[in-house]
Amino acid sequence: MTATLRQTATTVANTVIEGASTASALIGGAGGAYIGYQLAPASWSEGARLAFAGAAAVVGAIAVDGLAELLLAPLRRLMRRTPLNVTRAPAPAAAHTLDEALTQIVAATEDDAANRAASASIRIDHGDNFLRNEDRWRGYENGEASFYLAPGVWLHYRSDRDKHGYGDPRFTLLTGDGEQPVVITGMEQIRHHLAARAAGLPAFPATADSGVVGEHNDPIAELDNHIKAVLEA
């Protein structure tokens, strides 16, 4: 299954799940309205009976949707966390020359870097649904990779060796403005950076370790307030 087909299948499955959730709420609401109207005393006015039926419809919709959610919630988690089985493209034929072999290895190294970056991104993207898209990572033959975020802004990945010899993923934000790369440890830093650029402010992301952060010295909160003031001006 190709990446496009996999994405299409996932979209269809999610649509079916959400459709089932909506249908359960509608069925519960309709059933609640009917039962409520029938149970309302005949001595009540028509308006009172309709109001009672409306309240019963809300209760019925919530109740049935809650029951349906017991079945649908595990399916949602499954679609978010468990990728569909992927049939990988066949390996290229054996190389006949050294140059041909080198070309194959370069391509494989770039694909490997992109997949490693996507897998390691869970360190900063715990939502598991944005940076984990390996198709948006561009791998390079030196083992590094980049993720295009916006015009002039990329997230860069590399893996350094720690003292035990294991790979230690590093993510930095790069811009086309010649600014210093900034180490990224969370999605909120990327958001602050893009928000600053959108507001026309100096494009630097707020970081938790940029200065002493205390009760009255929170660079992230300060940048939020600055952006808000500029947008409201």
Side-chain angles (χ1 to χ4, degrees):
M1 174 182 306
T2 64
T4 301
L5 183 58
R6 178 181 57 183
Q7 183 177 3
T8 300
T10 301
T11 300
V12 171
N14 287 329
T15 301
V16 171
I17 292 173
E18 295 308 319
S21 178
T22 302
S24 66
L26 292 175
I27 292 172
Y34 176 79
I35 294 174
Y37 187 82
Q38 295 300 320
L39 292 179
S43 59
W44 288 6
S45 66
E46 185 67 15
R49 296 186 70 186
L50 290 176
F52 185 77
V58 174
V59 174
I62 295 174
V64 175
D65 185 59
L67 293 175
E69 193 64 20
L70 295 177
L71 298 175
L72 298 178
L75 294 178
R76 286 195 182 94
R77 290 194 295 270
L78 182 64
M79 294 306 300
R80 286 200 304 266
R81 301 294 180 181
T82 305
L84 300 175
N85 291 331
V86 179
T87 302
R88 298 189 179 277
H96 298 291
T97 66
L98 185 58
D99 287 341
E100 185 179 349
L102 181 59
T103 299
Q104 293 179 357
I105 292 299
V106 167
T109 303
E110 292 174 350
D111 288 343
D112 178 73
N115 278 275
R116 286 179 183 273
S119 296
S121 68
I122 194 172
R123 289 197 173 192
I124 58 177
D125 181 12
H126 291 188
D128 200 26
N129 58 359
F130 182 67
L131 296 179
R132 288 296 300 273
N133 184 352
E134 64 271 13
D135 293 333
R136 292 189 59 181
W137 283 96
R138 169 70 168 89
Y140 305 102
E141 57 184 292
N142 63 354
E144 300 179 359
S146 62
F147 188 102
Y148 174 83
L149 291 168
V153 186
W154 297 266
L155 183 66
H156 180 262
Y157 159 85
R158 77 175 190 276
S159 181
D160 295 335
R161 295 292 177 181
D162 60 19
K163 62 181 180 180
H164 302 292
Y166 296 108
D168 186 16
R170 302 282 184 175
F171 293 92
T172 53
L173 206 61
L174 305 179
T175 72
D177 302 329
E179 300 165 352
Q180 289 294 325
V182 178
V183 175
I184 296 296
T185 58
M187 294 295 289
E188 72 281 358
Q189 295 167 264
I190 300 176
R191 182 188 69 81
H192 279 283
H193 182 98
L194 296 181
R197 294 179 72 90
L201 298 175
F204 61 89
T207 59
D209 56 357
S210 56
V212 179
V213 179
E215 182 179 357
H216 303 291
N217 182 24
D218 185 347
I220 294 181
E222 290 177 2
L223 182 57
D224 266 342
N225 292 334
H226 193 180
I227 293 171
K228 182 178 179 180
V230 171
L231 294 177
E232 292 179 348

PDB file of all heavy atoms in Angstrom, residues 2-42:
ATOM      1  N   THR A   2       0.677   2.113  -0.954  1.00  0.00           N
ATOM      2  CA  THR A   2       1.487   3.317  -1.045  1.00  0.00           C
ATOM      3  C   THR A   2       1.073   4.303   0.041  1.00  0.00           C
ATOM      4  O   THR A   2       0.026   4.158   0.683  1.00  0.00           O
ATOM      5  CB  THR A   2       1.311   3.970  -2.419  1.00  0.00           C
ATOM      6  OG1 THR A   2      -0.052   4.392  -2.558  1.00  0.00           O
ATOM      7  CG2 THR A   2       1.659   2.984  -3.535  1.00  0.00           C
ATOM      8  N   ALA A   3       1.913   5.356   0.220  1.00  0.00           N
ATOM      9  CA  ALA A   3       1.608   6.353   1.246  1.00  0.00           C
ATOM     10  C   ALA A   3       0.293   7.050   0.947  1.00  0.00           C
ATOM     11  O   ALA A   3      -0.509   7.322   1.838  1.00  0.00           O
ATOM     12  CB  ALA A   3       2.754   7.359   1.333  1.00  0.00           C
ATOM     13  N   THR A   4       0.033   7.328  -0.369  1.00  0.00           N
ATOM     14  CA  THR A   4      -1.212   8.010  -0.739  1.00  0.00           C
ATOM     15  C   THR A   4      -2.416   7.133  -0.452  1.00  0.00           C
ATOM     16  O   THR A   4      -3.429   7.591   0.098  1.00  0.00           O
ATOM     17  CB  THR A   4      -1.187   8.378  -2.234  1.00  0.00           C
ATOM     18  OG1 THR A   4      -0.064   9.236  -2.488  1.00  0.00           O
ATOM     19  CG2 THR A   4      -2.469   9.080  -2.632  1.00  0.00           C
ATOM     20  N   LEU A   5      -2.324   5.849  -0.811  1.00  0.00           N
ATOM     21  CA  LEU A   5      -3.431   4.933  -0.566  1.00  0.00           C
ATOM     22  C   LEU A   5      -3.648   4.738   0.928  1.00  0.00           C
ATOM     23  O   LEU A   5      -4.783   4.667   1.406  1.00  0.00           O
ATOM     24  CB  LEU A   5      -3.147   3.586  -1.243  1.00  0.00           C
ATOM     25  CG  LEU A   5      -4.261   2.521  -1.135  1.00  0.00           C
ATOM     26  CD1 LEU A   5      -5.553   3.056  -1.718  1.00  0.00           C
ATOM     27  CD2 LEU A   5      -3.828   1.243  -1.833  1.00  0.00           C
ATOM     28  N   ARG A   6      -2.557   4.670   1.682  1.00  0.00           N
ATOM     29  CA  ARG A   6      -2.667   4.522   3.126  1.00  0.00           C
ATOM     30  C   ARG A   6      -3.367   5.727   3.740  1.00  0.00           C
ATOM     31  O   ARG A   6      -4.243   5.588   4.591  1.00  0.00           O
ATOM     32  CB  ARG A   6      -1.270   4.359   3.748  1.00  0.00           C
ATOM     33  CG  ARG A   6      -1.277   4.250   5.270  1.00  0.00           C
ATOM     34  CD  ARG A   6       0.122   4.116   5.811  1.00  0.00           C
ATOM     35  NE  ARG A   6       0.949   5.229   5.389  1.00  0.00           N
ATOM     36  CZ  ARG A   6       2.252   5.323   5.678  1.00  0.00           C
ATOM     37  NH1 ARG A   6       2.859   4.366   6.326  1.00  0.00           N
ATOM     38  NH2 ARG A   6       2.936   6.373   5.284  1.00  0.00           N
ATOM     39  N   GLN A   7      -2.995   6.919   3.282  1.00  0.00           N
ATOM     40  CA  GLN A   7      -3.619   8.132   3.802  1.00  0.00           C
ATOM     41  C   GLN A   7      -5.109   8.178   3.452  1.00  0.00           C
ATOM     42  O   GLN A   7      -5.935   8.575   4.265  1.00  0.00           O
ATOM     43  CB  GLN A   7      -2.911   9.367   3.246  1.00  0.00           C
ATOM     44  CG  GLN A   7      -3.445  10.687   3.796  1.00  0.00           C
ATOM     45  CD  GLN A   7      -2.657  11.871   3.270  1.00  0.00           C
ATOM     46  OE1 GLN A   7      -1.756  11.723   2.461  1.00  0.00           O
ATOM     47  NE2 GLN A   7      -3.002  13.052   3.739  1.00  0.00           N
ATOM     48  N   THR A   8      -5.444   7.747   2.222  1.00  0.00           N
ATOM     49  CA  THR A   8      -6.841   7.728   1.804  1.00  0.00           C
ATOM     50  C   THR A   8      -7.645   6.756   2.657  1.00  0.00           C
ATOM     51  O   THR A   8      -8.761   7.071   3.103  1.00  0.00           O
ATOM     52  CB  THR A   8      -6.948   7.327   0.321  1.00  0.00           C
ATOM     53  OG1 THR A   8      -6.222   8.267  -0.476  1.00  0.00           O
ATOM     54  CG2 THR A   8      -8.402   7.298  -0.129  1.00  0.00           C
ATOM     55  N   ALA A   9      -7.081   5.574   2.896  1.00  0.00           N
ATOM     56  CA  ALA A   9      -7.769   4.578   3.708  1.00  0.00           C
ATOM     57  C   ALA A   9      -7.979   5.075   5.131  1.00  0.00           C
ATOM     58  O   ALA A   9      -9.044   4.870   5.733  1.00  0.00           O
ATOM     59  CB  ALA A   9      -6.967   3.273   3.726  1.00  0.00           C
ATOM     60  N   THR A  10      -6.972   5.767   5.679  1.00  0.00           N
ATOM     61  CA  THR A  10      -7.089   6.310   7.025  1.00  0.00           C
ATOM     62  C   THR A  10      -8.169   7.382   7.084  1.00  0.00           C
ATOM     63  O   THR A  10      -8.965   7.437   8.026  1.00  0.00           O
ATOM     64  CB  THR A  10      -5.744   6.909   7.475  1.00  0.00           C
ATOM     65  OG1 THR A  10      -4.741   5.883   7.453  1.00  0.00           O
ATOM     66  CG2 THR A  10      -5.842   7.470   8.886  1.00  0.00           C
ATOM     67  N   THR A  11      -8.209   8.240   6.051  1.00  0.00           N
ATOM     68  CA  THR A  11      -9.222   9.297   6.004  1.00  0.00           C
ATOM     69  C   THR A  11     -10.623   8.708   5.938  1.00  0.00           C
ATOM     70  O   THR A  11     -11.542   9.169   6.633  1.00  0.00           O
ATOM     71  CB  THR A  11      -8.982  10.202   4.787  1.00  0.00           C
ATOM     72  OG1 THR A  11      -7.678  10.792   4.884  1.00  0.00           O
ATOM     73  CG2 THR A  11     -10.029  11.306   4.724  1.00  0.00           C
ATOM     74  N   VAL A  12     -10.800   7.683   5.105  1.00  0.00           N
ATOM     75  CA  VAL A  12     -12.110   7.040   4.979  1.00  0.00           C
ATOM     76  C   VAL A  12     -12.519   6.401   6.305  1.00  0.00           C
ATOM     77  O   VAL A  12     -13.667   6.543   6.752  1.00  0.00           O
ATOM     78  CB  VAL A  12     -12.083   5.987   3.856  1.00  0.00           C
ATOM     79  CG1 VAL A  12     -13.368   5.157   3.867  1.00  0.00           C
ATOM     80  CG2 VAL A  12     -11.907   6.657   2.504  1.00  0.00           C
ATOM     81  N   ALA A  13     -11.565   5.710   6.959  1.00  0.00           N
ATOM     82  CA  ALA A  13     -11.869   5.060   8.233  1.00  0.00           C
ATOM     83  C   ALA A  13     -12.264   6.081   9.289  1.00  0.00           C
ATOM     84  O   ALA A  13     -13.230   5.888  10.044  1.00  0.00           O
ATOM     85  CB  ALA A  13     -10.666   4.244   8.706  1.00  0.00           C
ATOM     86  N   ASN A  14     -11.527   7.201   9.353  1.00  0.00           N
ATOM     87  CA  ASN A  14     -11.861   8.243  10.326  1.00  0.00           C
ATOM     88  C   ASN A  14     -13.226   8.857  10.033  1.00  0.00           C
ATOM     89  O   ASN A  14     -13.986   9.188  10.951  1.00  0.00           O
ATOM     90  CB  ASN A  14     -10.789   9.338  10.316  1.00  0.00           C
ATOM     91  CG  ASN A  14      -9.502   8.890  10.966  1.00  0.00           C
ATOM     92  OD1 ASN A  14      -9.520   8.070  11.888  1.00  0.00           O
ATOM     93  ND2 ASN A  14      -8.388   9.416  10.514  1.00  0.00           N
ATOM     94  N   THR A  15     -13.541   9.021   8.735  1.00  0.00           N
ATOM     95  CA  THR A  15     -14.846   9.572   8.360  1.00  0.00           C
ATOM     96  C   THR A  15     -15.973   8.637   8.790  1.00  0.00           C
ATOM     97  O   THR A  15     -17.014   9.083   9.289  1.00  0.00           O
ATOM     98  CB  THR A  15     -14.905   9.798   6.840  1.00  0.00           C
ATOM     99  OG1 THR A  15     -13.869  10.707   6.455  1.00  0.00           O
ATOM    100  CG2 THR A  15     -16.252  10.371   6.432  1.00  0.00           C
ATOM    101  N   VAL A  16     -15.761   7.334   8.611  1.00  0.00           N
ATOM    102  CA  VAL A  16     -16.774   6.354   9.014  1.00  0.00           C
ATOM    103  C   VAL A  16     -16.977   6.387  10.523  1.00  0.00           C
ATOM    104  O   VAL A  16     -18.115   6.350  11.024  1.00  0.00           O
ATOM    105  CB  VAL A  16     -16.363   4.940   8.555  1.00  0.00           C
ATOM    106  CG1 VAL A  16     -17.282   3.888   9.163  1.00  0.00           C
ATOM    107  CG2 VAL A  16     -16.396   4.845   7.036  1.00  0.00           C
ATOM    108  N   ILE A  17     -15.878   6.486  11.270  1.00  0.00           N
ATOM    109  CA  ILE A  17     -15.969   6.522  12.733  1.00  0.00           C
ATOM    110  C   ILE A  17     -16.740   7.751  13.196  1.00  0.00           C
ATOM    111  O   ILE A  17     -17.639   7.664  14.041  1.00  0.00           O
ATOM    112  CB  ILE A  17     -14.561   6.500  13.355  1.00  0.00           C
ATOM    113  CG1 ILE A  17     -13.897   5.134  13.113  1.00  0.00           C
ATOM    114  CG2 ILE A  17     -14.625   6.786  14.848  1.00  0.00           C
ATOM    115  CD1 ILE A  17     -12.447   5.080  13.555  1.00  0.00           C
ATOM    116  N   GLU A  18     -16.383   8.917  12.632  1.00  0.00           N
ATOM    117  CA  GLU A  18     -17.074  10.146  13.033  1.00  0.00           C
ATOM    118  C   GLU A  18     -18.528  10.119  12.570  1.00  0.00           C
ATOM    119  O   GLU A  18     -19.414  10.640  13.260  1.00  0.00           O
ATOM    120  CB  GLU A  18     -16.350  11.362  12.455  1.00  0.00           C
ATOM    121  CG  GLU A  18     -14.953  11.550  13.003  1.00  0.00           C
ATOM    122  CD  GLU A  18     -14.906  11.554  14.507  1.00  0.00           C
ATOM    123  OE1 GLU A  18     -15.813  12.154  15.147  1.00  0.00           O
ATOM    124  OE2 GLU A  18     -13.988  10.949  15.081  1.00  0.00           O
ATOM    125  N   GLY A  19     -18.793   9.511  11.409  1.00  0.00           N
ATOM    126  CA  GLY A  19     -20.173   9.385  10.947  1.00  0.00           C
ATOM    127  C   GLY A  19     -20.999   8.523  11.884  1.00  0.00           C
ATOM    128  O   GLY A  19     -22.169   8.824  12.157  1.00  0.00           O
ATOM    129  N   ALA A  20     -20.385   7.440  12.367  1.00  0.00           N
ATOM    130  CA  ALA A  20     -21.085   6.569  13.311  1.00  0.00           C
ATOM    131  C   ALA A  20     -21.379   7.310  14.611  1.00  0.00           C
ATOM    132  O   ALA A  20     -22.454   7.138  15.215  1.00  0.00           O
ATOM    133  CB  ALA A  20     -20.244   5.324  13.589  1.00  0.00           C
ATOM    134  N   SER A  21     -20.444   8.152  15.050  1.00  0.00           N
ATOM    135  CA  SER A  21     -20.665   8.933  16.264  1.00  0.00           C
ATOM    136  C   SER A  21     -21.820   9.902  16.088  1.00  0.00           C
ATOM    137  O   SER A  21     -22.698  10.032  16.958  1.00  0.00           O
ATOM    138  CB  SER A  21     -19.384   9.697  16.629  1.00  0.00           C
ATOM    139  OG  SER A  21     -19.580  10.501  17.768  1.00  0.00           O
ATOM    140  N   THR A  22     -21.844  10.590  14.941  1.00  0.00           N
ATOM    141  CA  THR A  22     -22.937  11.531  14.672  1.00  0.00           C
ATOM    142  C   THR A  22     -24.274  10.813  14.566  1.00  0.00           C
ATOM    143  O   THR A  22     -25.297  11.271  15.096  1.00  0.00           O
ATOM    144  CB  THR A  22     -22.659  12.301  13.372  1.00  0.00           C
ATOM    145  OG1 THR A  22     -21.412  13.001  13.490  1.00  0.00           O
ATOM    146  CG2 THR A  22     -23.768  13.287  13.077  1.00  0.00           C
ATOM    147  N   ALA A  23     -24.271   9.660  13.877  1.00  0.00           N
ATOM    148  CA  ALA A  23     -25.517   8.899  13.707  1.00  0.00           C
ATOM    149  C   ALA A  23     -26.053   8.426  15.050  1.00  0.00           C
ATOM    150  O   ALA A  23     -27.271   8.460  15.297  1.00  0.00           O
ATOM    151  CB  ALA A  23     -25.272   7.713  12.783  1.00  0.00           C
ATOM    152  N   SER A  24     -25.175   7.987  15.941  1.00  0.00           N
ATOM    153  CA  SER A  24     -25.629   7.514  17.253  1.00  0.00           C
ATOM    154  C   SER A  24     -26.277   8.637  18.046  1.00  0.00           C
ATOM    155  O   SER A  24     -27.296   8.442  18.714  1.00  0.00           O
ATOM    156  CB  SER A  24     -24.451   6.926  18.033  1.00  0.00           C
ATOM    157  OG  SER A  24     -23.502   7.930  18.361  1.00  0.00           O
ATOM    158  N   ALA A  25     -25.693   9.856  17.943  1.00  0.00           N
ATOM    159  CA  ALA A  25     -26.279  10.997  18.652  1.00  0.00           C
ATOM    160  C   ALA A  25     -27.644  11.344  18.079  1.00  0.00           C
ATOM    161  O   ALA A  25     -28.599  11.652  18.824  1.00  0.00           O
ATOM    162  CB  ALA A  25     -25.344  12.196  18.573  1.00  0.00           C
ATOM    163  N   LEU A  26     -27.775  11.301  16.739  1.00  0.00           N
ATOM    164  CA  LEU A  26     -29.056  11.605  16.108  1.00  0.00           C
ATOM    165  C   LEU A  26     -30.124  10.581  16.479  1.00  0.00           C
ATOM    166  O   LEU A  26     -31.272  10.928  16.765  1.00  0.00           O
ATOM    167  CB  LEU A  26     -28.885  11.674  14.591  1.00  0.00           C
ATOM    168  CG  LEU A  26     -28.051  12.846  14.051  1.00  0.00           C
ATOM    169  CD1 LEU A  26     -27.874  12.713  12.548  1.00  0.00           C
ATOM    170  CD2 LEU A  26     -28.727  14.178  14.391  1.00  0.00           C
ATOM    171  N   ILE A  27     -29.734   9.316  16.466  1.00  0.00           N
ATOM    172  CA  ILE A  27     -30.684   8.256  16.815  1.00  0.00           C
ATOM    173  C   ILE A  27     -31.122   8.397  18.270  1.00  0.00           C
ATOM    174  O   ILE A  27     -32.309   8.277  18.606  1.00  0.00           O
ATOM    175  CB  ILE A  27     -30.049   6.872  16.567  1.00  0.00           C
ATOM    176  CG1 ILE A  27     -29.845   6.657  15.064  1.00  0.00           C
ATOM    177  CG2 ILE A  27     -30.908   5.769  17.151  1.00  0.00           C
ATOM    178  CD1 ILE A  27     -29.050   5.408  14.731  1.00  0.00           C
ATOM    179  N   GLY A  28     -30.137   8.649  19.140  1.00  0.00           N
ATOM    180  CA  GLY A  28     -30.482   8.827  20.549  1.00  0.00           C
ATOM    181  C   GLY A  28     -31.385  10.025  20.765  1.00  0.00           C
ATOM    182  O   GLY A  28     -32.334   9.978  21.566  1.00  0.00           O
ATOM    183  N   GLY A  29     -31.101  11.124  20.033  1.00  0.00           N
ATOM    184  CA  GLY A  29     -31.936  12.317  20.175  1.00  0.00           C
ATOM    185  C   GLY A  29     -33.359  12.085  19.690  1.00  0.00           C
ATOM    186  O   GLY A  29     -34.335  12.494  20.335  1.00  0.00           O
ATOM    187  N   ALA A  30     -33.474  11.436  18.526  1.00  0.00           N
ATOM    188  CA  ALA A  30     -34.803  11.172  17.981  1.00  0.00           C
ATOM    189  C   ALA A  30     -35.595  10.230  18.892  1.00  0.00           C
ATOM    190  O   ALA A  30     -36.787  10.455  19.160  1.00  0.00           O
ATOM    191  CB  ALA A  30     -34.674  10.565  16.582  1.00  0.00           C
ATOM    192  N   GLY A  31     -34.926   9.196  19.378  1.00  0.00           N
ATOM    193  CA  GLY A  31     -35.606   8.265  20.273  1.00  0.00           C
ATOM    194  C   GLY A  31     -36.019   8.929  21.573  1.00  0.00           C
ATOM    195  O   GLY A  31     -37.124   8.706  22.086  1.00  0.00           O
ATOM    196  N   GLY A  32     -35.120   9.769  22.111  1.00  0.00           N
ATOM    197  CA  GLY A  32     -35.453  10.466  23.346  1.00  0.00           C
ATOM    198  C   GLY A  32     -36.613  11.413  23.180  1.00  0.00           C
ATOM    199  O   GLY A  32     -37.487  11.528  24.052  1.00  0.00           O
ATOM    200  N   ALA A  33     -36.654  12.117  22.023  1.00  0.00           N
ATOM    201  CA  ALA A  33     -37.756  13.046  21.765  1.00  0.00           C
ATOM    202  C   ALA A  33     -39.088  12.306  21.674  1.00  0.00           C
ATOM    203  O   ALA A  33     -40.110  12.750  22.235  1.00  0.00           O
ATOM    204  CB  ALA A  33     -37.488  13.815  20.477  1.00  0.00           C
ATOM    205  N   TYR A  34     -39.078  11.179  20.970  1.00  0.00           N
ATOM    206  CA  TYR A  34     -40.326  10.417  20.816  1.00  0.00           C
ATOM    207  C   TYR A  34     -40.816   9.889  22.162  1.00  0.00           C
ATOM    208  O   TYR A  34     -41.996  10.036  22.515  1.00  0.00           O
ATOM    209  CB  TYR A  34     -40.097   9.253  19.849  1.00  0.00           C
ATOM    210  CG  TYR A  34     -41.299   8.351  19.695  1.00  0.00           C
ATOM    211  CD1 TYR A  34     -42.370   8.724  18.881  1.00  0.00           C
ATOM    212  CD2 TYR A  34     -41.365   7.140  20.380  1.00  0.00           C
ATOM    213  CE1 TYR A  34     -43.477   7.897  18.746  1.00  0.00           C
ATOM    214  CE2 TYR A  34     -42.466   6.316  20.248  1.00  0.00           C
ATOM    215  CZ  TYR A  34     -43.517   6.689  19.439  1.00  0.00           C
ATOM    216  OH  TYR A  34     -44.624   5.885  19.325  1.00  0.00           O
ATOM    217  N   ILE A  35     -39.905   9.293  22.928  1.00  0.00           N
ATOM    218  CA  ILE A  35     -40.295   8.731  24.225  1.00  0.00           C
ATOM    219  C   ILE A  35     -40.744   9.839  25.172  1.00  0.00           C
ATOM    220  O   ILE A  35     -41.726   9.707  25.910  1.00  0.00           O
ATOM    221  CB  ILE A  35     -39.131   7.923  24.819  1.00  0.00           C
ATOM    222  CG1 ILE A  35     -38.837   6.696  23.948  1.00  0.00           C
ATOM    223  CG2 ILE A  35     -39.436   7.488  26.245  1.00  0.00           C
ATOM    224  CD1 ILE A  35     -37.608   5.920  24.369  1.00  0.00           C
ATOM    225  N   GLY A  36     -39.991  10.969  25.157  1.00  0.00           N
ATOM    226  CA  GLY A  36     -40.353  12.066  26.036  1.00  0.00           C
ATOM    227  C   GLY A  36     -41.733  12.618  25.732  1.00  0.00           C
ATOM    228  O   GLY A  36     -42.516  12.920  26.646  1.00  0.00           O
ATOM    229  N   TYR A  37     -42.039  12.743  24.453  1.00  0.00           N
ATOM    230  CA  TYR A  37     -43.352  13.276  24.066  1.00  0.00           C
ATOM    231  C   TYR A  37     -44.465  12.313  24.482  1.00  0.00           C
ATOM    232  O   TYR A  37     -45.540  12.741  24.929  1.00  0.00           O
ATOM    233  CB  TYR A  37     -43.397  13.514  22.568  1.00  0.00           C
ATOM    234  CG  TYR A  37     -44.651  14.231  22.103  1.00  0.00           C
ATOM    235  CD1 TYR A  37     -44.738  15.619  22.199  1.00  0.00           C
ATOM    236  CD2 TYR A  37     -45.736  13.524  21.589  1.00  0.00           C
ATOM    237  CE1 TYR A  37     -45.894  16.291  21.779  1.00  0.00           C
ATOM    238  CE2 TYR A  37     -46.886  14.176  21.179  1.00  0.00           C
ATOM    239  CZ  TYR A  37     -46.953  15.562  21.274  1.00  0.00           C
ATOM    240  OH  TYR A  37     -48.096  16.216  20.878  1.00  0.00           O
ATOM    241  N   GLN A  38     -44.220  11.013  24.333  1.00  0.00           N
ATOM    242  CA  GLN A  38     -45.241  10.030  24.691  1.00  0.00           C
ATOM    243  C   GLN A  38     -45.450   9.951  26.201  1.00  0.00           C
ATOM    244  O   GLN A  38     -46.567   9.698  26.672  1.00  0.00           O
ATOM    245  CB  GLN A  38     -44.834   8.650  24.160  1.00  0.00           C
ATOM    246  CG  GLN A  38     -44.777   8.561  22.644  1.00  0.00           C
ATOM    247  CD  GLN A  38     -46.108   8.851  21.987  1.00  0.00           C
ATOM    248  OE1 GLN A  38     -47.165   8.425  22.474  1.00  0.00           O
ATOM    249  NE2 GLN A  38     -46.094   9.591  20.881  1.00  0.00           N
ATOM    250  N   LEU A  39     -44.358  10.181  26.970  1.00  0.00           N
ATOM    251  CA  LEU A  39     -44.456  10.078  28.421  1.00  0.00           C
ATOM    252  C   LEU A  39     -44.995  11.342  29.071  1.00  0.00           C
ATOM    253  O   LEU A  39     -45.422  11.321  30.229  1.00  0.00           O
ATOM    254  CB  LEU A  39     -43.080   9.746  29.014  1.00  0.00           C
ATOM    255  CG  LEU A  39     -42.513   8.361  28.694  1.00  0.00           C
ATOM    256  CD1 LEU A  39     -41.139   8.190  29.335  1.00  0.00           C
ATOM    257  CD2 LEU A  39     -43.464   7.261  29.175  1.00  0.00           C
ATOM    258  N   ALA A  40     -44.954  12.453  28.363  1.00  0.00           N
ATOM    259  CA  ALA A  40     -45.464  13.701  28.928  1.00  0.00           C
ATOM    260  C   ALA A  40     -46.967  13.582  29.176  1.00  0.00           C
ATOM    261  O   ALA A  40     -47.706  13.088  28.316  1.00  0.00           O
ATOM    262  CB  ALA A  40     -45.176  14.863  27.978  1.00  0.00           C
ATOM    263  N   PRO A  41     -47.429  13.994  30.346  1.00  0.00           N
ATOM    264  CA  PRO A  41     -48.869  13.891  30.656  1.00  0.00           C
ATOM    265  C   PRO A  41     -49.725  14.615  29.618  1.00  0.00           C
ATOM    266  O   PRO A  41     -49.379  15.697  29.149  1.00  0.00           O
ATOM    267  CB  PRO A  41     -48.976  14.570  32.030  1.00  0.00           C
ATOM    268  CG  PRO A  41     -47.606  14.432  32.626  1.00  0.00           C
ATOM    269  CD  PRO A  41     -46.660  14.540  31.462  1.00  0.00           C
ATOM    270  N   ALA A  42     -50.821  14.003  29.275  1.00  0.00           N
ATOM    271  CA  ALA A  42     -51.722  14.584  28.271  1.00  0.00           C
ATOM    272  C   ALA A  42     -52.344  15.883  28.751  1.00  0.00           C
ATOM    273  O   ALA A  42     -52.792  16.704  27.937  1.00  0.00           O
ATOM    274  CB  ALA A  42     -52.820  13.574  27.917  1.00  0.00           C
TER     275      ALA A  42
END
